[in-house]
Amino acid sequence: MHMKILQKDLKHGFLKVKIDSSEDLWYLESIIEQSDVVSGMTERKIKIGGSEEKSKISRINVFLKIKVEKISFEDTLRVSGIIIDGPEDVPKGEYHTFSIAEGTTITIEKNHWTKYVLKKLEEATKQSAFYALIVAFDREDAIFALLKNNGYEVLLEIKGDVAKKGVDEKKTSFYKEIISKMKDYDEKYSFNSIILASPAFWKEYLLKELDDDVLKKKIILATCSSIDGGTINEILRRPELATVLEKDKSSKELSVVDELLNAINNNNAAYGMRDVKSKIDSGNISVLLVSENLIKKARADKTYSQIELLMTQAESLNAEIRIISSEDAARKLDGLSGIACLLRWKENYGKQNYEP
């Protein structure tokens, strides 16, 4: 479930990765930049045959190396640029687009790996503790699975006793059994999210039976075609899973931004480029927070080097660097200019006047 690094030599600007999930594509969109060199196996149309009349177009897999000019991300990540290396029958200087999806292996070469890119790479490959509960069921069967960083573990499978007569009564009893097991597992793991999946409308019926408002707030509804051995893998390919991952990340980022807001009220934080730089210069910084929106704007405006310098200096002081990218947390930080820091020690002065 995390991007795999196959080879790494950042001293020579070289990184080879394998894409394991759709979330990896989101990270790669931030990691790959214009003027990078991307290489790997890719599909390309090639003319086969002699004369124009007799030649035909065929799609073949070839190894190509391109200098990146454009990156776009929809269902797949598309990286386009000029071919700088490849087989003899593929002319250099022509345009080519890599379509990067799950299972793709590519190599990225850069002249300089910035702090921001390295943080995104760390985030993409880090095995942080993550748990969510998947409950897949219909009116006769239910599967409980624990979703973890490295896959999932089936915790329990239960069967309902549905007879032709008294179906509604048996169904309600089965739902209560499922809800009881959900509560037990939530007490044990304290989930941030619970994915409730079923064919048809069974999940909505169960939700009506659930009277626990705290548990309800954790639930994300998903659809599956049936309840069998392939059900959990089917759910893992659903877009709802990306929602769960983002929800977990958002919770953590909101927590650190709220900590920042409290620290500002207690004169234990600074924000804005000028004041953050002042704290770094004096060594009084424990955490540096930078909005990804600010970084993207600075990269587009060719002013990112200023932020890179602050990140490098903060890191030399053993300060933690947090890139804030989830929507709610980033919006709050953007309201404070997009850059801020928590202090190592409290300074006694009046509330600062914000200057970007």
Side-chain angles (χ1 to χ4, degrees):
M1 292 180 63
H2 286 263
M3 189 186 301
K4 291 181 180 176
I5 296 179
L6 303 180
Q7 288 179 275
K8 182 179 179 182
D9 184 0
L10 299 187
K11 186 177 179 181
H12 295 96
F14 173 94
L15 181 76
K16 187 175 184 179
V17 297
K18 182 179 180 182
I19 312 309
D20 261 8
S21 70
S22 57
E23 189 186 10
D24 291 345
L25 301 176
W26 182 82
Y27 284 113
L28 267 188
E29 184 189 17
S30 299
I31 290 170
I32 299 174
E33 304 169 86
Q34 287 183 0
S35 297
D36 287 353
V37 172
V38 168
S39 59
M41 295 300 297
T42 180
E43 189 178 78
R44 184 168 175 83
K45 292 180 182 177
I46 291 182
K47 285 184 180 179
I48 298 176
S51 63
E52 287 291 328
E53 294 80 11
K54 293 182 178 179
S55 67
K56 63 178 182 177
I57 302 296
S58 179
R59 288 182 176 272
I60 62 170
N61 287 321
V62 294
F63 179 88
L64 292 180
K65 184 178 286 192
I66 67 170
K67 187 170 184 179
V68 177
E69 291 188 354
K70 184 180 177 183
I71 306 107
S72 62
F73 181 33
E74 293 180 7
D75 293 334
T76 60
L77 182 64
R78 295 173 62 82
V79 180
S80 306
I82 300 298
I83 297 171
I84 60 174
D85 196 13
E88 289 183 2
D89 51 354
V90 180
K92 293 179 183 177
E94 288 195 353
Y95 210 70
H96 182 76
T97 297
F98 277 84
S99 292
I100 303 172
E102 291 178 44
T104 301
T105 296
I106 60 165
T107 298
I108 306 165
E109 298 173 61
K110 292 176 178 284
N111 290 326
H112 175 59
W113 289 78
T114 64
K115 296 294 180 188
Y116 165 66
V117 168
L118 291 174
K119 291 299 289 185
K120 298 305 290 185
L121 181 62
E122 178 189 357
E123 195 176 325
T125 56
K126 186 172 62 176
Q127 296 290 325
S128 57
F130 170 77
Y131 295 105
L133 181 65
I134 297 176
V135 183
F137 68 99
D138 55 18
R139 67 178 189 174
E140 297 181 8
D141 300 281
I143 302 173
F144 295 78
L146 178 65
L147 179 60
K148 303 181 287 187
N149 290 105
N150 58 350
Y152 68 88
E153 173 191 350
V154 174
L155 300 172
L156 179 68
E157 295 184 43
I158 56 177
K159 293 188 73 70
D161 181 18
V162 180
K164 289 185 178 179
K165 292 184 179 180
V167 167
D168 288 341
E169 182 180 331
K170 296 288 186 183
K171 182 175 68 179
T172 301
S173 174
F174 187 42
Y175 288 167
K176 286 180 179 178
E177 184 180 0
I178 293 172
I179 290 169
S180 174
K181 295 297 182 184
M182 283 170 55
K183 289 180 178 180
D184 289 345
Y185 285 126
D186 188 54
E187 280 186 23
K188 181 176 180 179
Y189 292 99
S190 298
F191 297 113
N192 285 328
S193 302
I194 297 173
I195 301 173
L196 199 61
S198 75
F201 300 103
W202 303 117
K203 51 188 173 292
E204 283 84 0
Y205 294 151
L206 185 143
L207 210 54
K208 289 179 182 178
E209 297 290 327
L210 181 60
D211 57 5
D212 187 325
D213 290 335
V214 174
L215 209 59
K216 271 187 178 180
K217 289 179 181 178
K218 299 182 179 186
I219 287 177
I220 293 171
L221 298 179
T223 300
C224 57
S225 58
S226 61
I227 306 301
D228 53 38
T231 298
I232 303 301
N233 282 323
E234 179 189 354
I235 294 168
L236 292 180
R237 292 192 294 269
R238 297 284 303 173
E240 290 86 357
L241 180 61
T243 303
V244 171
L245 295 170
E246 183 61 29
K247 185 177 176 182
D248 182 68
K249 179 183 176 186
S250 297
S251 175
K252 292 174 182 176
E253 291 193 352
L254 274 172
S255 177
V256 72
V257 172
D258 286 342
E259 182 184 350
L260 168 71
L261 296 175
N262 289 331
I264 289 172
N265 289 332
N266 291 303
N267 293 330
N268 204 24
Y271 55 91
M273 290 287 285
R274 189 189 69 176
D275 285 329
V276 168
K277 182 180 184 304
S278 174
K279 301 310 173 193
I280 291 175
D281 288 344
S282 67
N284 189 10
I285 178 173
S286 62
V287 182
L288 176 65
L289 292 83
V290 187
S291 164
E292 188 161 45
N293 295 329
L294 177 66
I295 290 175
K296 287 182 176 179
K297 184 177 184 303
R299 289 170 85 179
D301 295 342
K302 310 297 184 185
T303 58
Y304 172 71
S305 59
Q306 300 172 31
I307 299 174
E308 171 78 359
L309 179 60
L310 292 181
M311 292 172 71
T312 300
Q313 292 173 331
E315 191 174 60
S316 71
L317 295 168
N318 293 320
E320 181 184 356
I321 298 173
R322 299 290 296 269
I323 307 296
I324 305 300
S325 57
S326 57
E327 186 177 353
D328 291 342
R331 185 173 62 248
K332 288 184 178 182
L333 186 55
D334 288 340
L336 297 170
S337 81
I339 188 166
C341 65
L342 297 171
L343 307 184
R344 289 191 190 278
W345 62 84
K346 188 173 182 178
E347 296 179 353
N348 294 315
Y349 53 80
K351 190 174 288 187
Q352 72 181 98
N353 295 316
Y354 157 62
E355 287 189 29

